[in-house]
Amino acid sequence: MASNCESQASIWRSIPGSGKNGDFAANLNNIGLLYFRQGRYSDAARRLREAVALFQDSVPADDPRLAKARYNLAGVVSRLGLHEEADRLSSRALADFSGKLDQEPQLAAELLSIRGSVLRKAKRGREAKVVEALARDFLRKAGAHHRVDVSAFGLRPK
């Protein structure tokens, strides 16, 4: 399946102008998430970095797809122990999307949650508590505070 993803990425790259509308970046983001789920964190980071770069060149700074790609990448590089990069990415995702937080409370909660996770992994618990409280507030605004993320109960890749 992973080789199919690489083949698909190669095909996208061969299409002139494929990176201009965000579709290829979205594809790379999805491949990065697949690699993350498989425990292939370095491969995931590589694809997500590419997705972020393409989104930055093709969509406005406050585009939800760019925000999601940044927080996905922040989560992966945090997992890899690259705390400064994760801090920069999660902070930037939140800052660039700050004007739309109230319009999209579910995404706001996700951005804040990853920011809190990044801060915790960087041993910045006091800051993380504040951000996590904000994330809970946005979850309530989105009507999602009662939902359970069942993926947390799934098997972890080895």
Side-chain angles (χ1 to χ4, degrees):
M1 181 170 208
S3 63
N4 287 342
C5 290
E6 290 304 316
S7 297
Q8 186 180 20
S10 295
I11 291 168
W12 272 92
R13 278 190 193 90
S14 70
I15 300 170
S18 63
K20 299 298 182 209
N21 64 6
D23 290 343
F24 181 46
N27 183 293
L28 290 170
N29 184 67
N30 292 339
I31 292 170
L33 292 175
L34 174 66
Y35 287 160
F36 176 79
R37 188 69 185 134
Q38 293 174 338
R40 296 172 55 187
Y41 305 123
S42 294
D43 291 333
R46 186 170 24 95
R47 287 294 168 242
L48 290 168
R49 280 187 181 103
E50 193 175 356
V52 167
L54 285 171
F55 274 134
Q56 288 176 161
D57 290 343
S58 63
V59 300
D62 65 350
D63 189 286
R65 296 171 297 173
L66 175 56
K68 289 177 185 179
R70 279 191 180 132
Y71 83 65
N72 289 335
L73 179 55
V76 171
V77 297
S78 179
R79 171 77 56 115
L80 290 169
L82 303 171
H83 301 297
E84 286 181 28
E85 183 180 3
D87 181 47
R88 188 179 75 257
L89 286 161
S90 64
S91 177
R92 176 100 185 260
L94 198 52
D96 285 353
F97 199 72
S98 65
K100 293 185 174 181
L101 294 176
D102 286 323
Q103 296 167 352
E104 297 196 41
Q106 181 66 43
L107 180 53
E110 292 169 12
L111 290 168
L112 288 160
S113 292
I114 196 68
R115 179 78 182 133
S117 175
V118 164
L119 291 169
R120 285 218 175 270
K121 287 181 182 172
K123 310 280 191 251
R124 294 165 58 188
R126 197 171 291 157
E127 292 173 79
K129 282 184 182 182
V130 173
V131 171
E132 291 163 350
L134 283 170
R136 286 189 297 277
D137 289 345
F138 276 102
L139 277 177
R140 276 190 285 282
K141 287 178 187 177
H145 61 280
H146 60 279
R147 293 185 187 158
V148 175
D149 180 4
V150 295
S151 68
F153 302 117
L155 296 174
R156 296 278 181 214
K158 295 180 182 176

